[in-house]
Amino acid sequence: MSANTSGFKKHESAIVSDSEIDVTDDVTETPNPPIRRSSSLFSLTSKELLPKPDEKEYAAFIDDERHFSLIRNLHMADFITLLNGFSGFYSIISCLRYTLTGKSHYVQRAHFFICLGLFFDFFDGRVARLRNKSSLMGQELDSLADLISFGVSPATIAFAIGFQTTVDVLMLTFWVLCGLSRLARFNISAANIPKDAHGKSQYFEGFPIPTNLGWVFFMAFLVYKDWILDNLPGGLLFKDTFFEFHIISIGFVLQGCAEISKSLHIPKP
């Protein structure tokens, strides 16, 4: 077996794109089964299959020593995934501007960019299917971008609007780390989730990280009502002690637990 072939086998798990990908399990029917790519929560054309990259594409990433070789080897869908990461980062910057100026339109902008990140999270898979082209870096890029847009960014908004006690921050940290763990688990376990007749995974293990958007919309509502900072609903528990925290913060912990749950199966749409 050639070196390239062994490298192909070693890196086979990298041939995916988007944060939720379905891979056919039965490799006895075809020697090189196609892969399926769908978005994190939904797909307009979920039954379309994408062929795996061939060995030449592995060599392009591993052995290509040209200038800007990484950029040369990215697919169009990968650039759209990077826009998801950009949206998440700009949301964080908008939160920082809010904390510096106190102007609420900055935190509203932060919510907008997270929603824009969701659009790119869906659109990259759509473009890949239209071009019938899979990506070596797709899954890794998508998971990292999702962590920024749907993990770190919402937690930053929460801190900016008033969840700022020590315990609040620890709960937000737990929430982000659960999202990180959930994405990592998906990358290694997607192929083992039971499939339907079309080769599509039957369910999500735990809440997908884009479900954090529920908190984004809730916090946007709080901003709209001006129920932020000292006006957060529910008040503080253990006020004026080291252990004080906002009651609502418990929801972040519960959401995080739902994301890393293995027994919680969410049917795929």
Side-chain angles (χ1 to χ4, degrees):
M1 183 177 293
S2 67
N4 283 346
T5 303
S6 62
F8 176 80
K9 294 295 183 183
K10 180 179 179 181
H11 296 281
E12 187 173 276
S13 63
I15 315 175
V16 275
S17 180
D18 294 343
S19 58
E20 299 297 342
I21 297 163
D22 303 312
V23 185
T24 53
D25 291 324
D26 188 0
V27 296
T28 60
E29 295 183 0
T30 56
N32 188 25
I35 64 169
R36 184 191 310 279
R37 301 203 295 185
S38 60
S39 99
S40 300
L41 295 175
F42 43 77
S43 172
L44 292 179
T45 53
S46 61
K47 294 183 180 180
E48 294 182 9
L49 298 176
L50 292 175
K52 288 185 178 181
D54 57 29
E55 295 182 47
K56 293 181 180 179
E57 294 190 59
Y58 287 101
F61 270 100
I62 298 171
D63 301 327
D64 192 344
E65 297 182 355
R66 296 175 298 172
H67 293 299
F68 307 109
S69 60
L70 175 63
I71 297 175
R72 289 169 182 260
N73 289 300
L74 292 178
H75 293 190
M76 183 182 297
D78 298 331
F79 287 104
I80 297 174
T81 302
L82 290 174
L83 290 175
N84 178 13
F86 161 79
S87 299
F89 177 73
Y90 206 90
S91 173
I92 296 172
I93 294 298
S94 296
C95 287
L96 295 176
R97 285 177 172 165
Y98 168 69
T99 58
L100 289 173
T101 65
K103 297 179 179 179
S104 62
H105 72 272
Y106 283 122
V107 75
Q108 292 169 347
R109 184 181 298 175
H111 287 99
F112 166 77
F113 274 99
I114 291 179
C115 294
L116 187 63
L118 180 66
F119 168 76
F120 290 128
D121 187 41
F122 166 73
F123 193 54
D124 59 1
R126 179 62 173 163
V127 167
R129 286 187 293 273
L130 287 173
R131 302 183 73 235
N132 196 35
K133 197 83 170 166
S134 58
S135 169
L136 288 171
M137 292 184 63
Q139 182 182 16
E140 286 71 21
L141 284 176
D142 196 82
S143 293
L144 294 170
D146 282 358
L147 178 64
I148 298 172
S149 293
F150 310 129
V152 179
S153 295
T156 305
I157 291 176
F159 179 85
I161 67 173
F163 295 94
Q164 298 175 355
T165 73
T166 299
V167 178
D168 284 339
V169 173
L170 290 175
M171 290 182 175
L172 290 174
T173 302
F174 175 80
W175 187 37
V176 173
L177 294 180
C178 284
L180 172 61
S181 301
R182 200 271 178 202
L183 290 167
R185 182 181 67 185
F186 174 80
N187 288 351
I188 64 174
S189 67
N192 297 322
I193 297 176
K195 308 295 190 296
D196 61 18
H198 301 287
K200 178 181 179 181
S201 295
Q202 297 177 5
Y203 55 79
F204 295 108
E205 272 189 351
F207 281 4
I209 193 171
T211 57
N212 289 349
L213 284 169
W215 281 102
V216 174
F217 296 139
F218 174 69
M219 290 187 290
F221 176 75
L222 295 181
V223 173
Y224 174 75
K225 288 290 189 178
D226 199 27
W227 294 344
I228 58 176
L229 300 175
D230 294 335
N231 299 322
L232 282 171
L236 287 165
L237 288 179
F238 307 111
K239 188 175 182 179
D240 298 326
T241 70
F242 176 81
F243 300 101
E244 67 178 357
F245 66 93
H246 292 87
I247 296 174
I248 298 177
S249 295
I250 298 174
F252 296 118
V253 175
L254 296 177
Q255 172 82 11
C257 291
E259 288 178 358
I260 61 175
S261 171
K262 189 172 181 63
S263 59
L264 182 60
H265 294 168
I266 311 299
K268 280 196 170 186

